Amino acid sequence: MAETNPSKTDNLRANGGRLWATILETAAFGGTPAGGINRLTLSPEDARVRDWFREACEAAGLTVSVDGLGTQYALRPGRDMSRAPIAFGSHLDTQPTGGKFDGVLGVLAGLEVMRSLNDAGIETETPLMVVNWTNEEGSRFAPAMMASAAYAGEFTTDEILAKRDAAGISVAEALDAIGYRGGEAVGARAIGAFVELHIEQGPILEAEGKTIGVVEGGQGIMWFDGAITGFESHAGTTPMPRRRDALLALSEFALAAERIALAHAPSAVATIGEATILAPSRNVVPGRVAFTLDVRDPRSATLDAMEASLSEAATAIAERRRVEIALTRIWRKEPVPFDPAIVAAVDEAARSLGHPRRRIISGAGHDACNLAAKVPTAMIFVPCKDGVSHNESESATADDCAAGADVLLQTVLRLANAPRAEQPAR
Ligand code: GLV
Ligand code: MN
Ligand code: MN
C-alpha cells in the first residue's frame, strides 16, 4: 500500500550502506591503480557506467529515456502526473585523473533516493526523476556542462553536436560510437525543480566541521584558448637576446595571470591547465605553444576587470618578447544565484536532520548552475578530504555521503509533496 503519512516520510532515511556500495561498484568503470577514475565523457568506460545506471534504474521500476545529447532521465511516477517532476542528479563522467565522488555521488544518491522510497512503499504527489547529464567535466569536449546548457537553451543541440575533442572526434560521432544519441529532443522534458548533491570540492566545510553546505549559488567562469607564436630556431646557435621563445612568453603570461587573480583575492582564481609546445624538440627554441586558461570569481564585474588585465598583460608580453599572443574567450558562464525557495527547502531538510550546516557559494561549475536559468534549482554540498578534487585521491566519508543523501531525500520529499499552490513555479 502506498504511504503518505507525513511522520513516516519525516523519519525516512536513505540507505547509506547501499549508496556506498554503488559508489565502490561503479568506480571499477575506468578505475585507476591510484584509486581514482579516468572516465572521460562518451568513452567506452562512460558507456559501461551508463549501461549500469540504466539497468539499476530499470530494476528500481524507473522509466529511462535518453535525449539527443545522451543525457539519461529516469522517471518515477507520482500520484499527479500533470506535475513536472522534481529532478535531481549530477554526472557520471570524470576528469582524466578524477576521483570517485565528483558527480558520481549526486547521481548515485539520486538512485538511492528512489530505492529508499521503493523500500518504504512511499508514493509522492509529484513524479521524481534522477538525471545523468552528459559531459559535465568539459575535459574532452569544451565547454563544461554542455548538455545541461543545451537543456537550458544556452546552446542549440546542433552547436553542441559539432564540438570536437583534441582528436577531431565530434560529440555527434562520440555519442553514436557508444550508442547514446537518444531520440528525445534536448530541453523537451519538463522539470519542476532541480536539486544536485555534490562534494564541496573545496576546504570550507571540513575546516569548519560542517556536514552540509546549503549552496546559494555558483561563481562565474571564463575559459580561454591561447596560442603564442614566436620563432623556431637552433638551440645551440641562437643567442639569448635574439630568441622569440613562445614558452618563455607563456611562462611570463602564467605569472601575470597569477598576479591578476591575486589582485582580486581571496575570491578570484586563474589556472593554465593545459600547455603544449607544438613540434617540440629538445634542440629547438619553442616557436609555438597552445594553452588553456580558466578564470573564476563570484562577481561579474571582477570577471570583466580580470579579462581586461589579462589582455593588457598579453599585449605587453607579446611586444617585449616579439611574439604574437592570441587569447580567445571560448566560454563565459555568469555567476548564478540559486532559487531562494529551493535553497530554503535544503536548509530546512538539513536542519530537521540535525546536521551542522552553513550557507556556501560553489567554486566549481555544476549542471545545477545551468538548470537555474530554466527551473528553480539549488545544491547540497558535503565535505571532501582536505578540500581536494579533480585528483585520484579525492575522498569523502561514507557517513557524509549518507548525510548528503538523507538531505537530498528530505528536500525532494518536501518539494514533491508540497500542495500544488506552493510548488516551485517559473
Ligand atoms: C567542473 O568540474 C568545473 O570545472 O568546475
Ligand atoms: Mn562535478
Ligand atoms: Mn569536476
Side-chain angles (χ1 to χ4, degrees), residues 119-145:
D119 291 349
I122 288 172
E123 187 180 27
T124 52
E125 215 31 57
T126 309
L128 304 180
M129 191 161 71
V130 52
V131 187
N132 170 31
W133 299 101
T134 295
N135 186 28
E136 191 277 346
E137 294 291 7
S139 186
R140 178 176 177 191
F141 299 101
M145 299 127 58

Side-chain angles (χ1 to χ4, degrees), residues 281-306:
S281 173
R282 71 169 70 223
N283 52 356
V284 175
V285 174
R288 287 164 295 160
V289 300
F291 64 99
T292 62
L293 173 65
D294 174 312
V295 176
R296 307 191 191 200
D297 190 87
R299 286 152 303 176
S300 262
T302 308
L303 294 182
D304 293 341
M306 290 174 80

Side-chain angles (χ1 to χ4, degrees), residues 135 137-146 155 159-160 163-165 171 223 225 330-331:
N135 186 28
E137 294 291 7
S139 186
R140 178 176 177 191
F141 299 101
M145 299 127 58
M146 56 168 50
F155 297 99
E159 280 170 334
I160 298 298
K163 303 280 183 198
R164 290 185 186 274
D165 68 8
V171 169
W223 277 8
D225 278 346
I330 60 158
W331 183 44

